[in-house]
C-alpha cells in the first residue's frame, strides 16, 4: 500500500480515518494512507475541515480489522 499524498509513491505507515459529517453517518470511516513524511500534512488537511477522527499505524489498523482504537497521532 502506498501513501495517498499526490505524487507520493512511498509505502504507507499510517491510516487516517475520517468522515464528512455532511455526507456520512457518524460511525462511517473513510481512510487515507500516509507515509511518515506526509502524515502531518494530510492529518492537518482533514483536521482543519473537522473530518479527522483517528490516526493509527497501518499495522495496528490491519490487526484490528479496520476498526480505529486509541489515537496514535502523537506517537
Amino acid at each position: 500500500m502506498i501513501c495517498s499524498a499526490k505524487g507520493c509513491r512511498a509505502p504507507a505507515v499510517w491510516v487516517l480515518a475520517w468522515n464528512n459529517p455532511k455526507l456520512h453517518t457518524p460511525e462511517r470511516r473513510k481512510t487515507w494512507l500516509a507515509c511518515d513524511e506526509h502524515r502531518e500534512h494530510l492529518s492537518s488537511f482533514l483536521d482543519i475541515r473537522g473530518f479527522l477522527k483517528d490516526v493509527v499505524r497501518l499495522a495496528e489498523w490491519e490487526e484490528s480489522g479496520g476498526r480505529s482504537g486509541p489515537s496514535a497521532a502523537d506517537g
Side-chain angles (χ1 to χ4, degrees):
M1 292 192 224
I2 62 166
C3 179
S4 297
K6 185 176 181 178
C8 185
R9 305 302 297 166
V13 178
W14 300 95
V15 173
L16 287 62
W18 64 277
N19 79 6
N20 180 339
K22 292 182 181 178
L23 302 175
H24 307 121
T25 59
E27 65 279 354
R28 172 107 188 254
R29 292 295 180 266
K30 305 278 284 175
T31 58
W32 282 356
L33 301 176
C35 64
D36 282 329
E37 181 180 347
H38 291 111
R39 182 187 98 182
E40 186 62 35
H41 172 73
L42 293 174
S43 294
S44 294
F45 179 89
L46 292 168
D47 196 38
I48 287 170
R49 289 156 180 80
F51 295 174
L52 186 63
K53 302 302 177 192
D54 208 357
V55 179
V56 181
R57 285 199 170 273
L58 178 58
E60 293 173 24
W61 182 266
E62 291 174 335
E63 287 172 7
S64 72
R67 293 179 303 276
S68 56
S71 179
D74 295 325

